Amino acid sequence: YGNFIDDLRLYVRGGTGGMGYPRLGGEGGRGGDVWFVARERVTLKSLRERYPQKRFVAGTGANSSVRALKGDKGKDCEVAVPLGIILLREDGRQIGELNAAGERFLAARGGLGGCLATNFVPSKGQRRIVHLDLKLIADIGLVGFPNAGKSSLLSTVSQAKPEIANYAFTTVQPELGKIMYTDYKQILVADLPGLIEGAHANRGMGHKFLKHVERTKQLLLVVDISGFQLSVKTPFRTAFETILLLTKELELYNEELLTKPVLLAVNKMDLPCAKDNLHELMKQLENPQDFLHLLQEDMVPANTLEFKDIIPISTHTGQGIEELKTSIRKSMDEEADQENEEFRKKQLLLLQDSQ
């Protein structure tokens, strides 16, 4: 999975409280807390390199004394983490998430200082193992089988420079790029490692890929118009069959993924017979139910995707790229308008209820 890290296991411990002063009734200071704070330009890789021990312990509370009967609180420990982090306990249960810069999560609370209630004996801080699970936050997620041209598309529409080669698994780690528009609007696009059949069951890169799709606002399916074959041992799939199989993998992993708005980019239109293949594909997409027999029954998705737009492109010649960028912008703007309208209606209902 390359040098990209999307899961990190950390040990956190709150500080121990300070000693009380029984003779004068003095209270020790509380132990410091461990906080996770979301910061931009932070990665799990940089976090691991900076703290190879992966241990974070807050400061001990100050002891009570004749000069200061109330001891000071121990120093808090703040850990900068990337945006899009889900926090999990050792047993896999989610305990929190951080999506916006500046958001904070209390990972381990400090122990109480010695006081009358504790017989002036301080308590230890909370300790736990926390897994940081990263799910990339992007506006558009590129979904497709290996060698469909996702990396080439990302490099064409944005300033990103992913590695591109003529073999199946070129992309072994997620790549992010920004589409820049003339009015300074920016749309973040994530090129994610290629799916294979059985990805929902964690074959290939499986869940490492699919979990990043969850955080994208919309999906852009990229298919090779000439079809796809992973190796000589696997069956050849046409562009239509590829779309059905991609839909099936998303459906089996998480049905909610199919509720996202979806665009379709039909790539490699510069190849011979591409126009004939596109004509056949469009006919199949108009009435997909009539062509489901092309795949085995267990590979057919329960629901077929409805694309907001279908754009034939060629990353090699540049054909259709501007139309695709325009379509992406239109789709994102429509979704933003819809969200604003829903928010406005909710605010109006709250105002009516208060009156």
Side-chain angles (χ1 to χ4, degrees):
Y1 204 40
N3 294 320
F4 184 79
I5 298 173
D6 55 9
D7 180 78
L8 200 60
R9 181 177 180 270
L10 305 179
Y11 171 82
V12 293
R13 191 181 81 208
T16 303
M19 293 291 293
Y21 204 125
R23 190 158 60 88
L24 299 177
E27 293 184 9
R30 240 193 73 210
D33 304 320
V34 180
W35 292 86
F36 290 138
V37 186
R39 294 271 188 262
E40 292 180 350
R41 292 188 292 276
V42 174
T43 65
L44 291 184
K45 185 183 178 185
S46 66
L47 180 62
R48 189 182 69 174
E49 288 173 349
R50 189 174 179 185
Y51 304 101
Q53 300 298 322
K54 294 180 287 186
R55 289 171 57 88
F56 298 92
V57 181
T60 303
N63 295 332
S64 173
S65 64
V66 175
R67 291 185 178 182
L69 289 178
K70 176 70 175 176
D72 292 335
K73 182 176 182 287
K75 187 178 179 182
D76 287 348
C77 174
E78 290 196 354
V79 186
V81 299
L83 277 57
I85 283 289
I86 288 182
L87 306 161
L88 306 170
R89 294 194 322 194
E90 187 78 280
D91 60 4
R93 182 181 167 193
Q94 182 175 331
I95 53 177
E97 59 181 282
L98 300 169
N99 294 320
E103 286 186 352
R104 299 163 64 85
F105 176 80
L106 180 59
R109 191 181 295 278
L112 290 173
C115 58
L116 185 63
T118 64
N119 203 22
F120 298 99
V121 178
S123 58
K124 292 182 178 180
Q126 185 182 13
R127 63 181 69 195
R128 67 198 328 182
I129 300 291
V130 180
H131 285 266
L132 306 184
D133 192 31
L134 175 67
K135 293 183 180 179
L136 290 176
I137 300 175
D139 298 311
I140 300 285
L142 301 184
V143 179
F145 280 144
N147 229 7
K150 299 187 306 301
S151 298
S152 299
L153 178 58
L154 184 70
S155 65
T156 305
V157 299
S158 75
Q159 300 299 312
K161 293 180 172 59
E163 182 184 343
I164 299 168
N166 189 29
Y167 52 86
F169 284 104
T170 305
T171 305
V172 292
Q173 63 187 46
E175 295 274 359
L176 288 172
K178 282 181 182 175
I179 304 178
M180 310 286 287
Y181 293 90
T182 52
D183 61 352
Y184 303 106
K185 168 81 173 180
Q186 298 180 11
I187 292 179
L188 193 61
V189 182
D191 170 26
L192 305 158
L195 282 171
I196 62 170
E197 292 175 39
H200 70 278
N202 217 13
R203 282 187 62 200
M205 296 179 184
H207 295 174
K208 276 190 173 290
F209 159 82
L210 287 163
K211 74 173 186 178
H212 293 299
V213 180
E214 293 181 64
R215 287 294 182 92
T216 57
K217 294 178 183 176
Q218 300 191 12
L219 303 180
L220 174 59
L221 259 64
V222 185
V223 299
D224 185 336
I225 189 59
S226 60
F228 169 72
Q229 186 173 20
L230 184 63
S231 71
V232 292
K233 296 180 181 178
T234 57
F236 172 80
R237 305 296 189 190
T238 64
F240 177 71
E241 291 171 342
T242 300
I243 292 168
L244 291 181
L245 289 168
L246 287 169
T247 307
K248 183 71 172 178
E249 292 302 331
L250 295 173
E251 181 181 83
L252 289 172
Y253 178 73
N254 184 350
E255 284 186 3
E256 289 184 11
L257 294 178
L258 301 187
T259 63
K260 295 178 184 286
V262 190
L263 301 170
L264 174 63
V266 184
N267 194 17
K268 305 189 182 180
M269 286 302 297
D270 55 296
L271 296 177
C273 302
K275 288 184 178 179
D276 293 339
N277 290 340
L278 179 64
H279 179 73
E280 180 68 18
L281 175 62
M282 296 301 287
K283 189 170 69 174
Q284 291 169 326
L285 289 174
E286 281 177 15
N287 298 292
Q289 300 300 326
D290 297 342
F291 299 94
L292 297 182
H293 63 274
L294 296 172
L295 282 175
Q296 294 175 357
E297 193 174 336
D298 60 338
M299 292 184 173
V300 176
N303 300 291
T304 52
L305 287 173
E306 290 188 13
F307 299 107
K308 293 187 73 174
D309 203 357
I310 300 172
I311 309 99
I313 65 167
S314 169
T315 55
H316 182 65
T317 65
Q319 174 192 339
I321 297 299
E322 288 305 315
E323 290 89 335
L324 177 61
K325 289 166 71 172
T326 302
S327 180
I328 290 172
R329 173 68 184 271
K330 183 184 174 187
S331 181
M332 292 299 299
D333 287 348
E334 285 174 355
E335 187 183 9
D337 291 342
Q338 189 177 342
E339 287 176 358
N340 290 337
E341 183 64 22
E342 288 174 0
F343 178 76
R344 193 185 67 80
K345 286 179 180 177
K346 284 180 182 177
Q347 292 297 100
L348 197 61
L349 284 171
L350 286 172
L351 187 63
Q352 289 171 350
D353 291 342
S354 64
Q355 290 173 345

